[in-house]
Amino acid sequence: MDAPRKGGVSLVHGAIDQAALLASVADPDAGATVLFLGTTRRHTGDAVTERLEYESHEPMAVRELARLRDAAVGRFSLAGCGIVHRLGMVGVGEASVAVATAAAHRREAFAAAEWVMEEIKRSVPIWKCDESAAGERRWVHPETVFDGGASS
Amino acid sequence: MVVVNLFAGMAESAGTRRLDLEWAGGSVAELRRRIRDRIPAVAELLARSAVAVGNSYAADADHVPGDADVAIIPPVSGG
């Protein structure tokens, strides 16, 4: 079925309202709803993170998130899909991204949430800066040649 | 003139978030060369970055109009 179904995409500069996101994808034909949260992790190997700062090319990121959301709805026959990404400072344990998917059955809802996260990490213009407990800041740019997801 | 928006580590390497370049129009590849010549410090990250014209990803052969709004998109790390 073609998008749009329930749910939307947004960038926020404060805490993510998880209840509102779940409510936005609620649908009487959904037998399964998945909420994925990506949270700031304290340890990566030996490195200790104090907090992450997220930055985005906002108009383009919103457009890319909407494209992913619509693609997920079609690809996994979702009743609803919503994506919220937080920008600015995100402390340890706090959510930087939330993806909610609603489908007739759980298999599609789980698969869609994972697919959306993979695609966000591949093609949406959002970046994190890792700030260590010692106060060192480092922008994270994975060691790949980035083609903007043109290979998809 | 073309406006080139820089983000994250690219802005940090360049020491600015915005470049204004005299630009009569040309390919994405040519624009990459112009940016590299202007700010050699970004060469390594630029080589691994995508280029967006008017909020859409563009290939090296694509045309960039003289008044385009361009963004350099270094490897992303959202999520």
Side-chain angles (χ1 to χ4, degrees):
Chain A
M1 281 176 265
D2 293 337
R5 306 302 295 270
K6 302 281 178 61
V9 305
S10 62
L11 299 172
V12 298
H13 294 265
I16 294 173
D17 187 339
Q18 299 163 24
L21 175 62
L22 280 171
S24 75
V25 302
D27 186 279
D29 286 325
T33 301
V34 166
L35 173 65
F36 171 86
L37 299 177
T39 51
T40 298
R41 182 177 57 239
R42 172 88 72 194
H43 290 95
T44 300
D46 292 335
V48 180
T49 296
E50 187 67 22
R51 58 185 182 176
L52 298 174
E53 180 183 0
Y54 285 87
E55 174 179 310
S56 171
H57 180 7
E58 294 195 30
M60 186 174 171
V62 167
R63 185 170 153 162
E64 285 291 307
L65 287 173
R67 185 182 64 76
L68 287 183
R69 181 219 164 263
D70 291 352
V73 167
R75 189 180 179 114
F76 298 94
S77 299
L78 300 179
C81 180
I83 308 171
V84 182
H85 204 299
R86 183 173 173 181
L87 301 176
M89 294 295 185
V90 182
V92 167
E94 296 178 25
S96 54
V97 62
V99 175
T101 57
H105 304 285
R106 68 181 182 280
R107 190 178 304 274
E108 289 73 26
F110 276 123
E114 179 162 33
W115 183 84
V116 167
M117 281 307 306
E118 292 293 328
E119 293 297 312
I120 287 173
K121 287 175 170 289
R122 201 168 72 86
S123 73
V124 179
I126 298 173
W127 304 272
K128 64 168 71 81
C129 186
D130 188 306
E131 191 170 316
S132 73
E136 291 170 357
R137 287 167 52 85
R138 181 183 60 87
W139 284 104
V140 179
H141 294 300
E143 294 292 327
T144 54
V145 175
F146 180 52
D147 64 0
S151 59
S152 63
Chain B
M1 189 184 75
V2 69
V3 176
V4 181
N5 295 289
L6 306 176
F7 299 91
M10 182 63 69
E12 190 173 77
S13 295
T16 181
R17 304 185 71 81
R18 174 185 162 139
L19 275 181
D20 296 341
L21 295 176
E22 288 303 321
W23 183 253
S27 70
V28 167
E30 173 61 23
L31 185 62
R32 284 179 183 273
R33 279 193 291 275
R34 287 282 302 279
I35 296 167
R36 208 170 53 220
D37 290 348
R38 174 86 164 262
I39 312 179
V42 304
E44 187 273 335
L45 190 52
L46 180 60
R48 298 194 290 119
S49 298
V51 175
V53 179
N55 292 336
S56 292
Y57 288 114
D60 277 354
D62 288 348
H63 181 73
V64 182
D67 60 349
D69 192 10
V70 174
I72 306 302
I73 310 292
V76 301
S77 53

